[in-house]
PDB file of all heavy atoms in Angstrom:
ATOM      1  N   LEU E   1       0.836  -1.204   0.002  1.00 76.00           N
ATOM      2  CA  LEU E   1      -0.003   0.000   0.006  1.00 76.00           C
ATOM      3  C   LEU E   1       0.867   1.253   0.001  1.00 76.00           C
ATOM      4  O   LEU E   1       0.554   2.241  -0.674  1.00 76.00           O
ATOM      5  CB  LEU E   1      -0.938  -0.005   1.214  1.00 76.00           C
ATOM      6  CG  LEU E   1      -2.073  -1.052   1.174  1.00 76.00           C
ATOM      7  CD1 LEU E   1      -2.791  -1.100   2.522  1.00 76.00           C
ATOM      8  CD2 LEU E   1      -3.061  -0.744   0.080  1.00 76.00           C
ATOM      9  N   PHE E   2       1.962   1.213   0.745  1.00 75.00           N
ATOM     10  CA  PHE E   2       2.841   2.389   0.774  1.00 75.00           C
ATOM     11  C   PHE E   2       3.518   2.612  -0.568  1.00 75.00           C
ATOM     12  O   PHE E   2       3.693   3.748  -1.023  1.00 75.00           O
ATOM     13  CB  PHE E   2       3.940   2.170   1.850  1.00 75.00           C
ATOM     14  CG  PHE E   2       4.948   3.286   1.889  1.00 75.00           C
ATOM     15  CD1 PHE E   2       4.666   4.469   2.554  1.00 75.00           C
ATOM     16  CD2 PHE E   2       6.187   3.147   1.270  1.00 75.00           C
ATOM     17  CE1 PHE E   2       5.602   5.502   2.585  1.00 75.00           C
ATOM     18  CE2 PHE E   2       7.118   4.157   1.296  1.00 75.00           C
ATOM     19  CZ  PHE E   2       6.832   5.345   1.960  1.00 75.00           C
ATOM     20  N   MET E   3       3.906   1.496  -1.250  1.00 70.00           N
ATOM     21  CA  MET E   3       4.675   1.627  -2.489  1.00 70.00           C
ATOM     22  C   MET E   3       3.839   2.072  -3.673  1.00 70.00           C
ATOM     23  O   MET E   3       4.218   2.959  -4.420  1.00 70.00           O
ATOM     24  CB  MET E   3       5.327   0.286  -2.810  1.00 70.00           C
ATOM     25  CG  MET E   3       6.604   0.031  -2.080  1.00 70.00           C
ATOM     26  SD  MET E   3       7.911   1.196  -2.498  1.00 70.00           S
ATOM     27  CE  MET E   3       8.118   0.871  -4.234  1.00 70.00           C
ATOM     28  N   TYR E   4       2.656   1.446  -3.866  1.00 61.00           N
ATOM     29  CA  TYR E   4       1.979   1.582  -5.158  1.00 61.00           C
ATOM     30  C   TYR E   4       0.694   2.379  -5.141  1.00 61.00           C
ATOM     31  O   TYR E   4       0.320   2.935  -6.173  1.00 61.00           O
ATOM     32  CB  TYR E   4       1.689   0.172  -5.727  1.00 61.00           C
ATOM     33  CG  TYR E   4       2.948  -0.508  -6.140  1.00 61.00           C
ATOM     34  CD1 TYR E   4       3.439  -1.615  -5.411  1.00 61.00           C
ATOM     35  CD2 TYR E   4       3.686  -0.099  -7.226  1.00 61.00           C
ATOM     36  CE1 TYR E   4       4.607  -2.270  -5.772  1.00 61.00           C
ATOM     37  CE2 TYR E   4       4.851  -0.747  -7.621  1.00 61.00           C
ATOM     38  CZ  TYR E   4       5.303  -1.815  -6.869  1.00 61.00           C
ATOM     39  OH  TYR E   4       6.458  -2.444  -7.233  1.00 61.00           O
ATOM     40  N   LEU E   5       0.022   2.475  -4.048  1.00 61.00           N
ATOM     41  CA  LEU E   5      -1.246   3.215  -4.049  1.00 61.00           C
ATOM     42  C   LEU E   5      -1.031   4.668  -3.632  1.00 61.00           C
ATOM     43  O   LEU E   5      -1.599   5.176  -2.678  1.00 61.00           O
ATOM     44  CB  LEU E   5      -2.273   2.533  -3.161  1.00 61.00           C
ATOM     45  CG  LEU E   5      -2.720   1.136  -3.606  1.00 61.00           C
ATOM     46  CD1 LEU E   5      -3.900   0.653  -2.792  1.00 61.00           C
ATOM     47  CD2 LEU E   5      -3.085   1.142  -5.098  1.00 61.00           C
ATOM     48  N   ARG E   6      -0.167   5.318  -4.390  1.00 60.00           N
ATOM     49  CA  ARG E   6       0.116   6.750  -4.181  1.00 60.00           C
ATOM     50  C   ARG E   6       0.147   7.443  -5.530  1.00 60.00           C
ATOM     51  O   ARG E   6       0.423   6.797  -6.538  1.00 60.00           O
ATOM     52  CB  ARG E   6       1.477   6.950  -3.509  1.00 60.00           C
ATOM     53  CG  ARG E   6       1.589   6.423  -2.107  1.00 60.00           C
ATOM     54  CD  ARG E   6       2.990   6.675  -1.599  1.00 60.00           C
ATOM     55  NE  ARG E   6       3.970   5.857  -2.294  1.00 60.00           N
ATOM     56  CZ  ARG E   6       5.284   6.133  -2.353  1.00 60.00           C
ATOM     57  NH1 ARG E   6       5.723   7.227  -1.763  1.00 60.00           N
ATOM     58  NH2 ARG E   6       6.102   5.351  -2.971  1.00 60.00           N
ATOM     59  N   PRO E   7      -0.131   8.740  -5.572  1.00 58.00           N
ATOM     60  CA  PRO E   7       0.028   9.483  -6.834  1.00 58.00           C
ATOM     61  C   PRO E   7       1.477   9.410  -7.282  1.00 58.00           C
ATOM     62  O   PRO E   7       2.403   9.449  -6.467  1.00 58.00           O
ATOM     63  CB  PRO E   7      -0.378  10.916  -6.470  1.00 58.00           C
ATOM     64  CG  PRO E   7      -1.185  10.774  -5.214  1.00 58.00           C
ATOM     65  CD  PRO E   7      -0.658   9.588  -4.488  1.00 58.00           C
ATOM     66  N   THR E   8       1.703   9.319  -8.598  1.00 57.00           N
ATOM     67  CA  THR E   8       3.069   9.205  -9.106  1.00 57.00           C
ATOM     68  C   THR E   8       3.916  10.427  -8.755  1.00 57.00           C
ATOM     69  O   THR E   8       5.141  10.346  -8.672  1.00 57.00           O
ATOM     70  CB  THR E   8       3.048   9.041 -10.642  1.00 57.00           C
ATOM     71  OG1 THR E   8       2.271  10.105 -11.225  1.00 57.00           O
ATOM     72  CG2 THR E   8       2.427   7.709 -11.024  1.00 57.00           C
ATOM     73  N   SER E   9       3.264  11.580  -8.527  1.00 58.00           N
ATOM     74  CA  SER E   9       4.006  12.787  -8.194  1.00 58.00           C
ATOM     75  C   SER E   9       4.689  12.718  -6.836  1.00 58.00           C
ATOM     76  O   SER E   9       5.621  13.461  -6.538  1.00 58.00           O
ATOM     77  CB  SER E   9       3.065  14.013  -8.221  1.00 58.00           C
ATOM     78  OG  SER E   9       2.001  13.836  -7.309  1.00 58.00           O
ATOM     79  N   SER E  10       4.225  11.805  -5.965  1.00 58.00           N
ATOM     80  CA  SER E  10       4.770  11.708  -4.614  1.00 58.00           C
ATOM     81  C   SER E  10       5.882  10.678  -4.492  1.00 58.00           C
ATOM     82  O   SER E  10       6.410  10.457  -3.411  1.00 58.00           O
ATOM     83  CB  SER E  10       3.657  11.346  -3.621  1.00 58.00           C
ATOM     84  OG  SER E  10       3.181  10.034  -3.838  1.00 58.00           O
ATOM     85  N   TYR E  11       6.289  10.049  -5.623  1.00 62.00           N
ATOM     86  CA  TYR E  11       7.322   9.021  -5.560  1.00 62.00           C
ATOM     87  C   TYR E  11       8.686   9.641  -5.291  1.00 62.00           C
ATOM     88  O   TYR E  11       9.075  10.644  -5.892  1.00 62.00           O
ATOM     89  CB  TYR E  11       7.365   8.213  -6.851  1.00 62.00           C
ATOM     90  CG  TYR E  11       6.332   7.123  -6.942  1.00 62.00           C
ATOM     91  CD1 TYR E  11       5.222   7.265  -7.770  1.00 62.00           C
ATOM     92  CD2 TYR E  11       6.462   5.973  -6.181  1.00 62.00           C
ATOM     93  CE1 TYR E  11       4.268   6.261  -7.854  1.00 62.00           C
ATOM     94  CE2 TYR E  11       5.507   4.961  -6.259  1.00 62.00           C
ATOM     95  CZ  TYR E  11       4.424   5.128  -7.099  1.00 62.00           C
ATOM     96  OH  TYR E  11       3.474   4.150  -7.145  1.00 62.00           O
ATOM     97  N   SER E  12       9.422   9.022  -4.404  1.00 68.00           N
ATOM     98  CA  SER E  12      10.822   9.360  -4.157  1.00 68.00           C
ATOM     99  C   SER E  12      11.624   8.085  -4.426  1.00 68.00           C
ATOM    100  O   SER E  12      11.497   7.100  -3.693  1.00 68.00           O
ATOM    101  CB  SER E  12      11.042   9.849  -2.726  1.00 68.00           C
ATOM    102  OG  SER E  12      12.419   9.866  -2.416  1.00 68.00           O
ATOM    103  N   MET E  13      12.442   8.090  -5.466  1.00 70.00           N
ATOM    104  CA  MET E  13      13.124   6.858  -5.876  1.00 70.00           C
ATOM    105  C   MET E  13      14.032   6.311  -4.776  1.00 70.00           C
ATOM    106  O   MET E  13      14.084   5.106  -4.542  1.00 70.00           O
ATOM    107  CB  MET E  13      13.947   7.122  -7.127  1.00 70.00           C
ATOM    108  CG  MET E  13      13.100   7.075  -8.384  1.00 70.00           C
ATOM    109  SD  MET E  13      12.355   5.476  -8.633  1.00 70.00           S
ATOM    110  CE  MET E  13      10.753   5.961  -9.241  1.00 70.00           C
ATOM    111  N   GLU E  14      14.771   7.181  -4.124  1.00 72.00           N
ATOM    112  CA  GLU E  14      15.707   6.720  -3.106  1.00 72.00           C
ATOM    113  C   GLU E  14      14.958   6.088  -1.936  1.00 72.00           C
ATOM    114  O   GLU E  14      15.384   5.056  -1.401  1.00 72.00           O
ATOM    115  CB  GLU E  14      16.579   7.892  -2.611  1.00 72.00           C
ATOM    116  CG  GLU E  14      17.457   8.516  -3.690  1.00 72.00           C
ATOM    117  CD  GLU E  14      18.288   7.495  -4.430  1.00 72.00           C
ATOM    118  OE1 GLU E  14      18.908   6.626  -3.758  1.00 72.00           O
ATOM    119  OE2 GLU E  14      18.352   7.559  -5.670  1.00 72.00           O
ATOM    120  N   GLN E  15      13.861   6.693  -1.525  1.00 74.00           N
ATOM    121  CA  GLN E  15      13.063   6.137  -0.452  1.00 74.00           C
ATOM    122  C   GLN E  15      12.396   4.839  -0.870  1.00 74.00           C
ATOM    123  O   GLN E  15      12.382   3.854  -0.133  1.00 74.00           O
ATOM    124  CB  GLN E  15      11.987   7.149  -0.024  1.00 74.00           C
ATOM    125  CG  GLN E  15      11.116   6.694   1.156  1.00 74.00           C
ATOM    126  CD  GLN E  15      10.004   7.678   1.433  1.00 74.00           C
ATOM    127  OE1 GLN E  15       9.229   8.045   0.554  1.00 74.00           O
ATOM    128  NE2 GLN E  15       9.922   8.132   2.679  1.00 74.00           N
ATOM    129  N   ASP E  16      11.869   4.801  -2.088  1.00 77.00           N
ATOM    130  CA  ASP E  16      11.179   3.616  -2.564  1.00 77.00           C
ATOM    131  C   ASP E  16      12.110   2.443  -2.774  1.00 77.00           C
ATOM    132  O   ASP E  16      11.681   1.277  -2.613  1.00 77.00           O
ATOM    133  CB  ASP E  16      10.449   3.937  -3.880  1.00 77.00           C
ATOM    134  CG  ASP E  16       9.234   4.830  -3.674  1.00 77.00           C
ATOM    135  OD1 ASP E  16       8.913   5.090  -2.500  1.00 77.00           O
ATOM    136  OD2 ASP E  16       8.616   5.247  -4.668  1.00 77.00           O
ATOM    137  N   LYS E  17      13.360   2.689  -3.130  1.00 82.00           N
ATOM    138  CA  LYS E  17      14.305   1.595  -3.282  1.00 82.00           C
ATOM    139  C   LYS E  17      14.527   0.882  -1.957  1.00 82.00           C
ATOM    140  O   LYS E  17      14.629  -0.352  -1.913  1.00 82.00           O
ATOM    141  CB  LYS E  17      15.643   2.098  -3.850  1.00 82.00           C
ATOM    142  CG  LYS E  17      15.589   2.387  -5.336  1.00 82.00           C
ATOM    143  CD  LYS E  17      16.979   2.596  -5.921  1.00 82.00           C
ATOM    144  CE  LYS E  17      17.596   3.927  -5.518  1.00 82.00           C
ATOM    145  NZ  LYS E  17      18.869   4.168  -6.221  1.00 82.00           N
ATOM    146  N   ILE E  18      14.601   1.645  -0.871  1.00 81.00           N
ATOM    147  CA  ILE E  18      14.795   1.035   0.446  1.00 81.00           C
ATOM    148  C   ILE E  18      13.583   0.215   0.824  1.00 81.00           C
ATOM    149  O   ILE E  18      13.691  -0.921   1.299  1.00 81.00           O
ATOM    150  CB  ILE E  18      15.054   2.129   1.496  1.00 81.00           C
ATOM    151  CG1 ILE E  18      16.288   2.964   1.131  1.00 81.00           C
ATOM    152  CG2 ILE E  18      15.270   1.480   2.871  1.00 81.00           C
ATOM    153  CD1 ILE E  18      17.559   2.181   0.989  1.00 81.00           C
ATOM    154  N   VAL E  19      12.377   0.772   0.589  1.00 81.00           N
ATOM    155  CA  VAL E  19      11.145   0.048   0.910  1.00 81.00           C
ATOM    156  C   VAL E  19      11.001  -1.193   0.047  1.00 81.00           C
ATOM    157  O   VAL E  19      10.515  -2.232   0.494  1.00 81.00           O
ATOM    158  CB  VAL E  19       9.926   0.986   0.750  1.00 81.00           C
ATOM    159  CG1 VAL E  19       8.635   0.225   1.040  1.00 81.00           C
ATOM    160  CG2 VAL E  19      10.025   2.190   1.683  1.00 81.00           C
ATOM    161  N   SER E  20      11.462  -1.104  -1.213  1.00 85.00           N
ATOM    162  CA  SER E  20      11.371  -2.242  -2.120  1.00 85.00           C
ATOM    163  C   SER E  20      12.161  -3.432  -1.606  1.00 85.00           C
ATOM    164  O   SER E  20      11.775  -4.597  -1.848  1.00 85.00           O
ATOM    165  CB  SER E  20      11.894  -1.858  -3.518  1.00 85.00           C
ATOM    166  OG  SER E  20      11.077  -0.894  -4.106  1.00 85.00           O
ATOM    167  N   VAL E  21      13.251  -3.182  -0.894  1.00 88.00           N
ATOM    168  CA  VAL E  21      14.043  -4.264  -0.338  1.00 88.00           C
ATOM    169  C   VAL E  21      13.206  -5.100   0.616  1.00 88.00           C
ATOM    170  O   VAL E  21      13.361  -6.322   0.697  1.00 88.00           O
ATOM    171  CB  VAL E  21      15.296  -3.704   0.395  1.00 88.00           C
ATOM    172  CG1 VAL E  21      16.032  -4.811   1.134  1.00 88.00           C
ATOM    173  CG2 VAL E  21      16.237  -3.053  -0.617  1.00 88.00           C
ATOM    174  N   VAL E  22      12.267  -4.425   1.336  1.00 86.00           N
ATOM    175  CA  VAL E  22      11.452  -5.135   2.330  1.00 86.00           C
ATOM    176  C   VAL E  22      10.634  -6.229   1.668  1.00 86.00           C
ATOM    177  O   VAL E  22      10.621  -7.382   2.107  1.00 86.00           O
ATOM    178  CB  VAL E  22      10.551  -4.141   3.095  1.00 86.00           C
ATOM    179  CG1 VAL E  22       9.630  -4.909   4.048  1.00 86.00           C
ATOM    180  CG2 VAL E  22      11.389  -3.134   3.860  1.00 86.00           C
ATOM    181  N   TYR E  23       9.908  -5.880   0.569  1.00 82.00           N
ATOM    182  CA  TYR E  23       9.015  -6.900   0.011  1.00 82.00           C
ATOM    183  C   TYR E  23       9.640  -7.742  -1.084  1.00 82.00           C
ATOM    184  O   TYR E  23       9.108  -8.799  -1.445  1.00 82.00           O
ATOM    185  CB  TYR E  23       7.707  -6.290  -0.473  1.00 82.00           C
ATOM    186  CG  TYR E  23       7.764  -5.365  -1.659  1.00 82.00           C
ATOM    187  CD1 TYR E  23       7.718  -5.868  -2.955  1.00 82.00           C
ATOM    188  CD2 TYR E  23       7.811  -3.995  -1.486  1.00 82.00           C
ATOM    189  CE1 TYR E  23       7.765  -5.038  -4.055  1.00 82.00           C
ATOM    190  CE2 TYR E  23       7.842  -3.149  -2.588  1.00 82.00           C
ATOM    191  CZ  TYR E  23       7.831  -3.684  -3.864  1.00 82.00           C
ATOM    192  OH  TYR E  23       7.862  -2.830  -4.945  1.00 82.00           O
ATOM    193  N   THR E  24      10.811  -7.333  -1.622  1.00 89.00           N
ATOM    194  CA  THR E  24      11.483  -8.174  -2.611  1.00 89.00           C
ATOM    195  C   THR E  24      12.474  -9.150  -1.961  1.00 89.00           C
ATOM    196  O   THR E  24      12.691 -10.250  -2.494  1.00 89.00           O
ATOM    197  CB  THR E  24      12.236  -7.337  -3.640  1.00 89.00           C
ATOM    198  OG1 THR E  24      13.187  -6.517  -2.960  1.00 89.00           O
ATOM    199  CG2 THR E  24      11.291  -6.482  -4.457  1.00 89.00           C
ATOM    200  N   VAL E  25      13.066  -8.771  -0.852  1.00 91.00           N
ATOM    201  CA  VAL E  25      14.134  -9.550  -0.244  1.00 91.00           C
ATOM    202  C   VAL E  25      13.752 -10.067   1.133  1.00 91.00           C
ATOM    203  O   VAL E  25      13.954 -11.261   1.450  1.00 91.00           O
ATOM    204  CB  VAL E  25      15.439  -8.728  -0.151  1.00 91.00           C
ATOM    205  CG1 VAL E  25      16.552  -9.556   0.473  1.00 91.00           C
ATOM    206  CG2 VAL E  25      15.864  -8.239  -1.528  1.00 91.00           C
ATOM    207  N   VAL E  26      13.193  -9.193   1.986  1.00 91.00           N
ATOM    208  CA  VAL E  26      13.001  -9.527   3.397  1.00 91.00           C
ATOM    209  C   VAL E  26      11.722 -10.354   3.616  1.00 91.00           C
ATOM    210  O   VAL E  26      11.756 -11.381   4.300  1.00 91.00           O
ATOM    211  CB  VAL E  26      12.965  -8.245   4.266  1.00 91.00           C
ATOM    212  CG1 VAL E  26      12.713  -8.613   5.728  1.00 91.00           C
ATOM    213  CG2 VAL E  26      14.285  -7.491   4.127  1.00 91.00           C
ATOM    214  N   ILE E  27      10.593  -9.922   3.061  1.00 90.00           N
ATOM    215  CA  ILE E  27       9.302 -10.596   3.311  1.00 90.00           C
ATOM    216  C   ILE E  27       9.331 -12.070   2.873  1.00 90.00           C
ATOM    217  O   ILE E  27       8.860 -12.935   3.644  1.00 90.00           O
ATOM    218  CB  ILE E  27       8.130  -9.843   2.648  1.00 90.00           C
ATOM    219  CG1 ILE E  27       7.850  -8.547   3.408  1.00 90.00           C
ATOM    220  CG2 ILE E  27       6.874 -10.717   2.625  1.00 90.00           C
ATOM    221  CD1 ILE E  27       6.739  -7.723   2.813  1.00 90.00           C
ATOM    222  N   PRO E  28       9.899 -12.417   1.708  1.00 92.00           N
ATOM    223  CA  PRO E  28       9.948 -13.835   1.369  1.00 92.00           C
ATOM    224  C   PRO E  28      10.730 -14.684   2.359  1.00 92.00           C
ATOM    225  O   PRO E  28      10.482 -15.873   2.500  1.00 92.00           O
ATOM    226  CB  PRO E  28      10.649 -13.845  -0.016  1.00 92.00           C
ATOM    227  CG  PRO E  28      10.348 -12.494  -0.586  1.00 92.00           C
ATOM    228  CD  PRO E  28      10.351 -11.562   0.605  1.00 92.00           C
ATOM    229  N   MET E  29      11.706 -14.059   3.058  1.00 93.00           N
ATOM    230  CA  MET E  29      12.436 -14.783   4.085  1.00 93.00           C
ATOM    231  C   MET E  29      11.630 -14.883   5.378  1.00 93.00           C
ATOM    232  O   MET E  29      11.682 -15.904   6.097  1.00 93.00           O
ATOM    233  CB  MET E  29      13.758 -14.067   4.390  1.00 93.00           C
ATOM    234  CG  MET E  29      14.586 -14.707   5.493  1.00 93.00           C
ATOM    235  SD  MET E  29      15.926 -13.666   6.100  1.00 93.00           S
ATOM    236  CE  MET E  29      14.999 -12.337   6.915  1.00 93.00           C
ATOM    237  N   LEU E  30      10.835 -13.856   5.678  1.00 90.00           N
ATOM    238  CA  LEU E  30      10.106 -13.815   6.953  1.00 90.00           C
ATOM    239  C   LEU E  30       8.930 -14.771   6.994  1.00 90.00           C
ATOM    240  O   LEU E  30       8.625 -15.331   8.059  1.00 90.00           O
ATOM    241  CB  LEU E  30       9.604 -12.388   7.211  1.00 90.00           C
ATOM    242  CG  LEU E  30      10.641 -11.338   7.588  1.00 90.00           C
ATOM    243  CD1 LEU E  30       9.954  -9.988   7.822  1.00 90.00           C
ATOM    244  CD2 LEU E  30      11.415 -11.757   8.842  1.00 90.00           C
ATOM    245  N   ASN E  31       8.244 -14.968   5.868  1.00 88.00           N
ATOM    246  CA  ASN E  31       7.010 -15.782   5.888  1.00 88.00           C
ATOM    247  C   ASN E  31       7.206 -17.181   6.450  1.00 88.00           C
ATOM    248  O   ASN E  31       6.442 -17.625   7.295  1.00 88.00           O
ATOM    249  CB  ASN E  31       6.381 -15.812   4.504  1.00 88.00           C
ATOM    250  CG  ASN E  31       5.553 -14.568   4.212  1.00 88.00           C
ATOM    251  OD1 ASN E  31       5.190 -13.829   5.128  1.00 88.00           O
ATOM    252  ND2 ASN E  31       5.258 -14.322   2.958  1.00 88.00           N
ATOM    253  N   PRO E  32       8.227 -17.948   5.976  1.00 88.00           N
ATOM    254  CA  PRO E  32       8.396 -19.277   6.585  1.00 88.00           C
ATOM    255  C   PRO E  32       8.754 -19.221   8.054  1.00 88.00           C
ATOM    256  O   PRO E  32       8.382 -20.104   8.827  1.00 88.00           O
ATOM    257  CB  PRO E  32       9.514 -19.919   5.749  1.00 88.00           C
ATOM    258  CG  PRO E  32      10.178 -18.803   5.031  1.00 88.00           C
ATOM    259  CD  PRO E  32       9.127 -17.747   4.838  1.00 88.00           C
ATOM    260  N   LEU E  33       9.469 -18.164   8.473  1.00 87.00           N
ATOM    261  CA  LEU E  33       9.806 -18.004   9.892  1.00 87.00           C
ATOM    262  C   LEU E  33       8.542 -17.738  10.696  1.00 87.00           C
ATOM    263  O   LEU E  33       8.344 -18.314  11.766  1.00 87.00           O
ATOM    264  CB  LEU E  33      10.804 -16.855  10.067  1.00 87.00           C
ATOM    265  CG  LEU E  33      12.227 -17.093   9.579  1.00 87.00           C
ATOM    266  CD1 LEU E  33      13.047 -15.818   9.730  1.00 87.00           C
ATOM    267  CD2 LEU E  33      12.887 -18.246  10.343  1.00 87.00           C
ATOM    268  N   ILE E  34       7.693 -16.869  10.160  1.00 86.00           N
ATOM    269  CA  ILE E  34       6.461 -16.540  10.875  1.00 86.00           C
ATOM    270  C   ILE E  34       5.578 -17.773  11.046  1.00 86.00           C
ATOM    271  O   ILE E  34       5.069 -18.054  12.135  1.00 86.00           O
ATOM    272  CB  ILE E  34       5.679 -15.434  10.105  1.00 86.00           C
ATOM    273  CG1 ILE E  34       6.425 -14.107  10.169  1.00 86.00           C
ATOM    274  CG2 ILE E  34       4.264 -15.287  10.652  1.00 86.00           C
ATOM    275  CD1 ILE E  34       5.853 -13.041   9.254  1.00 86.00           C
ATOM    276  N   TYR E  35       5.428 -18.545   9.972  1.00 83.00           N
ATOM    277  CA  TYR E  35       4.548 -19.704  10.027  1.00 83.00           C
ATOM    278  C   TYR E  35       5.140 -20.876  10.806  1.00 83.00           C
ATOM    279  O   TYR E  35       4.433 -21.724  11.307  1.00 83.00           O
ATOM    280  CB  TYR E  35       4.173 -20.158   8.616  1.00 83.00           C
ATOM    281  CG  TYR E  35       3.062 -19.331   8.024  1.00 83.00           C
ATOM    282  CD1 TYR E  35       3.325 -18.261   7.171  1.00 83.00           C
ATOM    283  CD2 TYR E  35       1.734 -19.593   8.350  1.00 83.00           C
ATOM    284  CE1 TYR E  35       2.311 -17.492   6.647  1.00 83.00           C
ATOM    285  CE2 TYR E  35       0.698 -18.816   7.831  1.00 83.00           C
ATOM    286  CZ  TYR E  35       0.987 -17.778   6.981  1.00 83.00           C
ATOM    287  OH  TYR E  35      -0.031 -16.988   6.462  1.00 83.00           O
ATOM    288  N   SER E  36       6.473 -20.926  10.895  1.00 78.00           N
ATOM    289  CA  SER E  36       7.088 -22.004  11.661  1.00 78.00           C
ATOM    290  C   SER E  36       7.154 -21.708  13.148  1.00 78.00           C
ATOM    291  O   SER E  36       6.937 -22.577  13.993  1.00 78.00           O
ATOM    292  CB  SER E  36       8.483 -22.319  11.118  1.00 78.00           C
ATOM    293  OG  SER E  36       9.331 -21.176  11.222  1.00 78.00           O
ATOM    294  N   LEU E  37       7.414 -20.425  13.475  1.00 71.00           N
ATOM    295  CA  LEU E  37       7.523 -20.037  14.898  1.00 71.00           C
ATOM    296  C   LEU E  37       6.170 -19.889  15.561  1.00 71.00           C
ATOM    297  O   LEU E  37       6.043 -20.097  16.773  1.00 71.00           O
ATOM    298  CB  LEU E  37       8.314 -18.743  15.016  1.00 71.00           C
ATOM    299  CG  LEU E  37       9.776 -18.800  14.587  1.00 71.00           C
ATOM    300  CD1 LEU E  37      10.409 -17.395  14.659  1.00 71.00           C
ATOM    301  CD2 LEU E  37      10.566 -19.772  15.450  1.00 71.00           C
ATOM    302  N   LYS E  38       5.148 -19.525  14.792  1.00 70.00           N
ATOM    303  CA  LYS E  38       3.826 -19.266  15.362  1.00 70.00           C
ATOM    304  C   LYS E  38       2.857 -20.440  15.197  1.00 70.00           C
ATOM    305  O   LYS E  38       1.741 -20.376  15.704  1.00 70.00           O
ATOM    306  CB  LYS E  38       3.216 -18.031  14.695  1.00 70.00           C
ATOM    307  CG  LYS E  38       3.880 -16.709  15.052  1.00 70.00           C
ATOM    308  CD  LYS E  38       3.444 -16.242  16.438  1.00 70.00           C
ATOM    309  CE  LYS E  38       3.987 -14.855  16.723  1.00 70.00           C
ATOM    310  NZ  LYS E  38       3.568 -14.395  18.059  1.00 70.00           N
TER     311      LYS E  38
END
């Protein structure tokens, strides 16, 4: 929701690159941990 449901005029590439790391790299790692630990 933070990344894509915003007007294009409000995009900041440097900020979005950092946020992109969360769902491209971090979230796929977290899901099996979440489901195994919980």
Side-chain angles (χ1 to χ4, degrees):
L1 290 171
F2 176 80
M3 278 296 299
Y4 291 109
L5 295 190
R6 294 179 292 159
T8 54
S9 58
S10 68
Y11 278 106
S12 167
M13 279 298 141
E14 298 307 315
Q15 183 186 53
D16 288 354
K17 283 193 287 186
I18 302 301
V19 178
S20 295
V21 172
V22 176
Y23 68 85
T24 57
V25 180
V26 178
I27 288 179
M29 178 194 68
L30 288 180
N31 279 342
L33 290 175
I34 292 171
Y35 279 97
S36 60
L37 295 175
K38 290 282 186 181

